[in-house]
Amino acid sequence: LKPLVTGAGSSAAGRSGRVSPGQPGFEPCAMVFFFTCSDTRYVVFMGKDKFENEELLKYGFPEDIWFHVDKLSSAHVYLRLPLGSVDLSGVKDKEVAKQKLMDALSEVPQEVIQEMAQLTKANSIEGCKAAEVDVVYTPFLNLKKEERMDTGQVGFKDESFRILLRHVEKDKEAVKRLEKTRVEQKVDFCKEREERDEEEKQRRRKFIEAEKLKQKEEDRLRAEEKELKSYTALQHLEKTSNLEMTKTGTMEECRAVEEDFM
């Protein structure tokens, strides 16, 4: 996620003249809060309010993992995996795609998952006051947005593909550490997604070219091996044939065979 303008950290309630999605003059740029977790390979961010959440839902990446307090209102917190972590190109089977997403999720360190849970709980009006909450997370690709839903509201394509962290208690030190890294930035969601898709196309193109070269080299080696085996077999056949033509192998017998042949 690339910032356009670094904000001053003001609250959403203090903003005026807000243009909502779908209204004239609206641009897919919004204020987003960024955080730094314990592993710098990952990007942590959340929408400033329900309007930003709506744009995040519209322009999210396949590499995004969505976090929310279960059954309570809370911020939509995202963990963005490194580009290429979720490669679904050419995958048509739903179960295969699901397994690839699960494999990508399993690679995320548990420490990072716990940090995301703490950040999600802390950014829930009700959840932050509760002794413990359940936090749900799922791949962005499993989120479902329907016209009947309110702004910022979301459902799931596959309910069984939700992962639930139960009884999450507040870790004051973890929350304090994460909140110290909070930065507010303005992001052009649409442009970000277009750049991501183009970068992914380039990466896939290079991968396919490398695979073609690899296959070509393997075919060449197989052809050479086949040719070598044929040549070795031919040599063996010639030696065997010559031996069978004589019984004693003496010069006299060889001349006799030649005379018979002539």
Side-chain angles (χ1 to χ4, degrees):
L1 286 164
K2 302 174 185 176
L4 296 179
V5 179
T6 301
S10 59
S11 66
R15 297 166 67 190
S16 60
R18 181 59 185 259
V19 181
S20 302
Q23 294 181 343
F26 176 79
E27 296 180 0
C29 299
M31 301 309 296
V32 178
F33 291 123
F34 290 86
F35 302 85
T36 302
C37 69
S38 58
D39 193 326
T40 56
R41 292 177 300 168
Y42 304 99
V43 178
V44 180
F45 58 99
M46 69 181 185
K48 190 170 184 177
D49 57 31
K50 64 181 181 179
F51 297 103
E52 270 77 15
N53 289 339
E54 194 70 20
E55 293 306 298
L56 288 171
L57 291 171
K58 191 183 298 182
Y59 297 105
F61 288 13
E63 291 83 8
D64 291 347
I65 309 301
W66 177 89
F67 289 75
H68 196 276
V69 174
D70 193 38
K71 298 178 182 179
L72 293 177
S73 173
S74 80
H76 292 207
V77 185
Y78 288 84
L79 179 70
R80 179 159 292 173
L81 310 185
L83 184 65
S85 299
V86 181
D87 187 0
L88 299 177
S89 56
V91 178
K92 297 180 180 180
D93 186 89
K94 181 180 177 181
E95 290 304 314
V96 173
K98 186 176 179 179
Q99 186 58 52
K100 280 182 172 287
L101 288 168
M102 289 299 294
D103 291 343
L105 273 175
S106 66
E107 292 295 321
V108 181
Q110 278 304 306
E111 182 180 358
V112 174
I113 296 293
Q114 291 300 323
E115 287 177 318
M116 296 298 295
Q118 288 297 323
L119 192 59
T120 306
K121 181 182 186 303
N123 286 276
S124 168
I125 295 174
E126 297 177 74
C128 69
K129 300 173 185 176
E132 59 181 37
V133 298
D134 293 342
V135 174
V136 62
Y137 66 100
T138 193
F140 167 77
L141 294 177
N142 190 40
L143 299 180
K144 177 177 64 176
K145 180 68 180 181
E146 297 178 349
E147 291 184 6
R148 62 179 178 80
M149 294 178 176
D150 294 333
T151 301
Q153 189 178 11
V154 68
F156 304 100
K157 297 174 184 175
D158 185 348
E159 289 285 340
S160 67
F161 201 12
R162 303 186 315 144
I163 301 175
L164 196 63
L165 293 175
R166 294 191 176 277
H167 312 303
V168 176
E169 299 179 357
K170 183 176 181 179
D171 183 337
K172 292 183 180 179
E173 290 303 314
V175 173
K176 184 179 179 180
R177 185 171 61 252
L178 288 164
E179 286 294 342
K180 279 185 176 180
T181 68
R182 179 190 289 249
V183 177
E184 185 179 9
Q185 296 175 346
K186 192 174 184 181
V187 176
D188 186 332
F189 292 103
C190 183
K191 184 178 180 182
E192 284 281 293
R193 181 58 193 261
E194 288 175 352
E195 290 178 351
R196 179 264 172 204
D197 290 346
E198 182 59 33
E199 187 175 346
E200 178 65 10
K201 285 180 183 178
Q202 294 296 331
R203 189 189 70 83
R204 285 295 306 165
R205 189 175 292 116
K206 289 180 180 179
F207 174 79
I208 291 172
E209 289 175 355
E211 285 294 300
K212 285 182 178 179
L213 288 174
K214 181 181 177 182
Q215 186 62 48
K216 186 176 180 180
E217 179 64 13
E218 289 177 353
D219 291 343
R220 184 186 67 81
L221 291 174
R222 275 196 294 269
E224 287 183 355
E225 185 179 0
K226 184 178 180 180
E227 184 178 356
L228 181 61
K229 286 181 178 179
S230 299
Y231 179 71
T232 303
L234 181 61
Q235 282 187 318
H236 178 71
L237 179 62
E238 289 177 347
K239 290 178 181 178
T240 304
S241 299
N242 289 336
L243 286 173
E244 290 177 349
M245 288 180 67
T246 64
K247 295 179 181 180
T248 63
T250 61
M251 290 297 296
E252 290 77 6
E253 186 174 357
C254 287
R255 290 195 186 96
V257 169
E258 288 177 359
E259 289 175 359
D260 289 342
F261 178 74
M262 295 299 292

